[in-house]
Amino acid sequence: MKKYRVAVVGATGMVGRTFLKVLEEKNLPVSEYVLFASSRSAGKKLSFMGSEYTVQELNKHSFDSGFDIALFSAGGGTSKEFAPIAAEKGCVVIDNSSQWRMHEDVPLVVPEVNPEDIMKHKGIIANPNCSTIQAVVALKPLNDKYNIKRIVYSTYQAVSGAGVKGYQDLENGAKAFVNGTDYELQKFPYPIFSNCLPHIDVFQDDGYTKEEQKMIDETRKILHDDSLLITATTVRVPVFNSHSESINVEFYNDYDLDNLKAVLKNAPGVVLMDDPAHEVYPMATISTGHDEVYVGRVRRDTSAESAVNLWVVADNIRKGAASNAVQIAEKLIAYWEK
C-alpha cells in the first residue's frame, strides 16, 4: 500500500488538535504529516504520533513540496485563499469551514450517508456543519426506508461549537457564579452560564440565523433532495461539549415503530439508546469523546400523519468536525487503493 503525505492546516485550534488525536487513533497509511497554522501559532511545538512537531506558518508555497491530502480547519477566509492553491498542486483538500459547502462543484460528505460523492471532487471536499452531520447520520436510513417529507430541527448546541472563546465564556461564567465576581464576555452577546441563547451565527433578513439556514441547505444537498421541507431553530446552551437535537420527521410512507427502531439500530454510525422505562436515552456526557451518533426518545408524533420524534446527540468536535473529515480521508484512500 502506498504511503501518503498529509497536511493538517489549523493544527493548533480546537478542531485541529482533535484532528491530531483522531489521526493517532486511526493510523492511516501516511509517510509524513506536516502541521500548519497562522503566523501567530507558527513555531509552536505539538506532541503527535509519539514525536514533537513544530508547527509551520501557512503560506502560498506551503504545498509546493507535494501533499496527497490536506485537512483544513482554519476558518473560511483561510480556506478560500489556500484550498485552491493546495488543489492546484494535486492535493485533495478536506475542508471543515463553511466556505465551500454549497459550491456546486464541491461534494459535501458524511461518509455514512453519501460516500459515493467523495470521488466527484475537483480537489476540494467539504465537511458539513457539525449540527447537520449528526442529524443526517440518523435521518439517511429513515429516508431510504420511509421517504422523508418534512423535518423540524430544534438544536441544543454546546459552547465548544463556538471555539475556545465560547468555551471560556461558560467556564468563566461558572467561576464567577461560584465566586460572586464579574467577568468579561469573550464570544457571546450575553452570558451563556445558566442561560440559553436562541442565536447561533448572524441573523438574516428573514429572521433565521445562518446556522439555521446551513442546516436546511446542507441537509438537502447531502440527501440529494431539494424538495425536502425543512425548518430549524438553533440554540446555544450551557454545555461544554456535544450537541443535542430534537428532530421531528414526517414521512410520505407510514411506519411501524418497532421496525423504525430496528432501522436505526442497524444503521452505520448510529447507537440506539431508547429505553425510557429504565431512563436510558442519549446525553452529551455519553457522546463526548466518541464518534457515534446516539439516538433515543424515539416515539410516534400523534399530531401528524406518519411522523416521528427523535433525540439525537453527538460529539460536535469529533463526529461533527475532526472525525468526519478523517473518515472522508479514509474513504478517499480506500478509493485510491482499489
Side-chain angles (χ1 to χ4, degrees):
M1 178 180 284
K2 177 184 173 181
K3 297 287 187 178
Y4 298 89
R5 292 190 81 230
V6 175
V8 179
V9 177
T12 59
M14 186 177 288
V15 173
R17 289 175 185 266
T18 308
F19 271 148
L20 303 183
K21 183 177 181 182
V22 175
L23 287 167
E24 285 183 323
E25 296 170 6
K26 296 291 187 180
N27 194 26
L28 300 179
V30 174
S31 61
E32 183 183 10
Y33 287 102
V34 181
L35 312 186
F36 294 102
S38 67
S39 57
R40 297 188 308 273
S41 299
K44 283 187 176 180
K45 309 286 187 182
L46 294 178
S47 179
F48 175 53
M49 294 288 185
S51 300
E52 185 177 77
Y53 282 71
T54 301
V55 178
Q56 300 183 22
E57 181 180 352
L58 183 68
N59 60 58
K60 63 182 181 180
H61 297 295
S62 294
F63 300 95
D64 289 353
S65 61
F67 288 92
D68 298 290
I69 297 171
L71 301 170
F72 270 63
S73 187
T78 299
S79 293
K80 183 178 182 180
E81 180 178 0
F82 292 103
I85 294 173
E88 287 170 8
K89 300 289 184 180
C91 176
V92 179
V93 173
I94 302 171
D95 181 47
N96 192 55
S97 79
S98 62
Q99 174 61 37
W100 304 103
R101 290 174 185 160
M102 297 312 298
H103 280 241
E104 186 176 341
D105 291 338
V106 177
L108 185 65
V109 176
V110 178
E112 296 91 340
V113 178
N114 59 331
E116 68 281 0
D117 289 346
I118 289 174
M119 293 311 292
K120 297 176 183 176
H121 75 82
K122 297 182 179 179
I124 301 173
I125 301 169
N127 216 33
N129 188 33
C130 49
S131 49
T132 306
I133 288 174
Q134 67 188 72
V136 296
V137 169
L139 293 176
K140 173 60 161 61
L142 299 181
N143 189 44
D144 289 345
K145 181 76 173 178
Y146 305 109
N147 196 4
I148 293 174
K149 177 181 180 181
R150 182 171 186 259
I151 303 167
V152 180
Y153 288 131
S154 302
T155 74
Y156 308 77
Q157 296 181 219
V159 296
S160 57
V164 173
K165 289 183 178 179
Y167 202 95
Q168 289 172 341
D169 271 2
L170 179 54
E171 195 171 53
N172 292 339
K175 290 177 181 177
F177 176 79
V178 171
N179 298 325
T181 56
D182 294 326
Y183 67 103
E184 185 176 340
L185 293 172
Q186 303 295 313
K187 177 67 178 180
F188 301 119
Y190 302 100
I192 187 64
F193 176 78
S194 192
N195 201 14
C196 295
L197 305 180
H199 174 190
I200 301 178
D201 213 322
V202 298
F203 284 102
Q204 303 178 123
D205 291 341
D206 61 1
Y208 283 79
T209 65
K210 276 186 71 177
E211 180 80 1
E212 291 158 352
Q213 195 62 49
K214 286 176 194 174
M215 291 196 73
I216 294 167
D217 294 340
E218 292 177 19
T219 299
R220 288 173 176 158
K221 181 173 180 177
I222 294 166
L223 295 180
H224 303 140
D225 187 353
D226 290 336
S227 70
L228 273 177
L229 302 173
I230 310 174
T231 189
T233 301
T234 59
V235 181
R236 191 73 69 188
V237 297
V239 171
F240 282 110
N241 198 65
S242 285
H243 291 348
S244 302
E245 300 174 349
S246 171
I247 306 179
N248 179 270
V249 190
E250 185 178 353
F251 303 109
Y252 284 103
N253 302 322
D254 199 10
Y255 66 90
D256 174 83
L257 187 59
D258 288 336
N259 289 343
L260 184 147
K261 289 182 181 182
V263 169
L264 287 169
K265 185 176 182 179
N266 294 316
V270 172
V271 175
L272 184 65
M273 294 187 66
D274 190 61
D275 185 3
H278 296 93
E279 299 179 346
V280 175
Y281 37 73
M283 295 181 291
T285 52
I286 292 170
S287 65
T288 293
H290 299 279
D291 293 335
E292 295 79 13
V293 173
Y294 295 79
V295 182
R297 298 297 319 280
V298 182
R299 60 207 186 279
R300 185 176 287 276
D301 175 4
T302 57
S303 72
E305 190 174 351
S306 300
V308 69
N309 290 301
L310 310 172
W311 180 249
V312 179
V313 184
D315 187 324
N316 57 292
I317 301 297
R318 285 191 62 108
K319 182 53 184 169
S323 295
N324 196 76
V326 175
Q327 285 176 292
I328 293 172
E330 283 185 302
K331 291 283 188 183
L332 187 62
I333 290 171
Y335 284 128
W336 286 341
E337 292 294 326
K338 284 183 180 179

